[in-house]
Amino acid sequence: MRDLSHDRALLSINSMTVKAWSLVELLEGCARAGISAISPWRDIVQACGAERAGKLIRAHGMTVTGLCRGGMFPDADEAGRRAALDDNRRAVDEAAAIGAQCLVLVVGALPKGSRDLDGARMQVREALHALLPYARQARVPLAIEPLHPMYAADRACVNTLAQANDLCDELGDGAGVAVDTYHVWWDPDLAREIARAGKRILAYHVNDWLLPTTDLLLDRGMMGDGVIDLRAIRAMVEAAGYRGHCEVEILSGNNWWKRDPDEVVRICIERHQTVV
Ligand code: ZN
């Protein structure tokens, strides 16, 4: 297992962790802290303009560990599904423009008013097949991120790494997975499915599961503040061959988003070196 205790070269900051920052502020804030990798969400890339964002990122010498996020494929009607695919092609273009190592996919869930979870999963599968040739051509790998089952109705109906691996088996080149500790830590098959994912692991997201969790979306914890055995999961991911960054992704409306982003980054570095 790699030693992170003295180094921040493998640390990436996801823009949702420091939500108050624009892309320029994220680049400058990370540079100030000696961090050389980021993962922006599309909102701050679009606010800047993808081409200009790419130039700024290259000027700062930053690695982009992923663009968050594409997906949200299922829809109640054909026009909606087509619009979602179009938007995902734009996300692929944006990922290419900023040199992202992958486009992270939160695949989407039940269409409004639907109870057909199997149908939603089928729609996701078909959309991935439809998007993949475009992503391959742009050389942007698609990272399917399984989300915790509590999001099966509204965010992602791919809820286990096994499901994501099955999709990757079917899709082949250009498709992989994003492993996020918050979403997968509870899974009794985790070790087996991480080993099975192997080189298909395109991104590794870290954070923690708080007790109690007070909000389904916006109460993620800082690494070390919750119950996830982060060292054990990183050992699995590295044993599977992953050599990339640990990307800190913390959506925290009542705590970390209210703090000074420079302080948040400083604590991310400290926890990266001590508990990740
Ligand atoms: Zn994530």
Side-chain angles (χ1 to χ4, degrees):
M1 200 161 144
R2 298 177 297 181
D3 178 12
L4 305 181
S5 61
H6 299 295
D7 122 39
R8 55 195 74 171
L10 291 173
L11 172 61
S12 173
I13 301 292
N14 184 292
S15 67
M16 269 299 161
T17 305
V18 283
K19 195 168 179 287
W21 275 349
S22 67
L23 182 69
V24 170
E25 288 167 328
L26 177 66
L27 289 167
E28 289 174 352
C30 286
R32 267 199 302 282
I35 293 168
S36 56
I38 60 166
S39 177
W41 280 54
R42 290 179 73 193
D43 58 344
I44 62 169
V45 171
Q46 288 171 349
C48 179
E51 296 303 325
R52 179 166 164 258
K55 282 191 189 123
L56 289 167
I57 286 165
R58 287 189 291 278
H60 278 84
M62 285 282 171
T63 297
V64 180
T65 54
L67 176 66
C68 295
R69 58 176 166 56
M72 296 295 170
F73 297 114
D75 200 280
D77 61 48
E78 178 68 37
R81 289 193 285 277
R82 211 176 311 121
L85 259 179
D86 287 344
D87 186 54
N88 274 276
R89 290 192 191 97
R90 285 193 291 276
V92 167
D93 294 342
E94 290 161 13
I98 64 169
Q101 292 178 343
C102 62
L103 173 64
V104 174
L105 298 179
V106 171
V107 297
L110 290 175
K112 203 171 162 49
S114 168
R115 291 186 172 84
D116 183 5
L117 192 55
D118 286 343
R121 288 177 170 146
M122 189 57 73
Q123 288 190 25
V124 166
R125 187 171 159 249
E126 285 167 4
L128 286 167
H129 277 284
L131 180 63
L132 188 59
Y134 190 84
R136 275 185 189 142
Q137 200 158 33
R139 297 180 189 285
V140 173
L142 300 178
I144 302 166
E145 181 167 359
L147 258 56
H148 190 284
M150 68 182 170
Y151 300 114
D154 62 348
R155 287 175 198 281
C157 57
V158 172
N159 306 106
T160 63
L161 200 48
Q163 265 181 290
N165 277 330
D166 287 347
L167 286 165
C168 289
D169 282 349
E170 188 182 311
L171 291 161
D173 279 354
V177 299
V179 175
D180 186 323
T181 55
Y182 191 76
H183 296 302
V184 302
W185 71 278
W186 57 273
D187 185 345
D189 294 328
L190 188 59
R192 190 173 64 209
E193 291 298 329
I194 285 178
R196 179 182 162 207
K199 296 282 188 199
R200 289 191 298 216
I201 301 172
L202 300 174
Y204 179 54
H205 300 172
V206 294
N207 38 53
D208 216 332
W209 185 278
L210 298 177
L211 274 182
T213 289
T214 58
D215 186 285
L216 293 188
L217 183 62
L218 300 179
D219 195 28
R220 292 201 203 184
M222 176 65 67
M223 301 82 73
D225 288 349
V227 298
I228 301 179
D229 190 345
L230 291 165
R231 281 272 160 83
I233 299 179
R234 184 163 67 86
M236 293 175 202
V237 166
E238 292 186 7
Y242 182 73
R243 294 291 175 269
H245 291 72
C246 301
E247 176 185 321
V248 179
E249 186 184 41
I250 300 171
L251 286 72
S252 171
N254 287 323
N255 185 0
W256 299 102
W257 287 356
K258 292 186 171 166
R259 302 212 198 175
D260 170 18
D262 282 300
E263 184 203 354
V264 175
V265 168
R266 189 178 55 69
I267 296 168
C268 288
I269 293 169
E270 180 194 310
R271 300 296 177 87
H272 174 73
Q273 294 176 338
T274 54
V275 300
V276 169

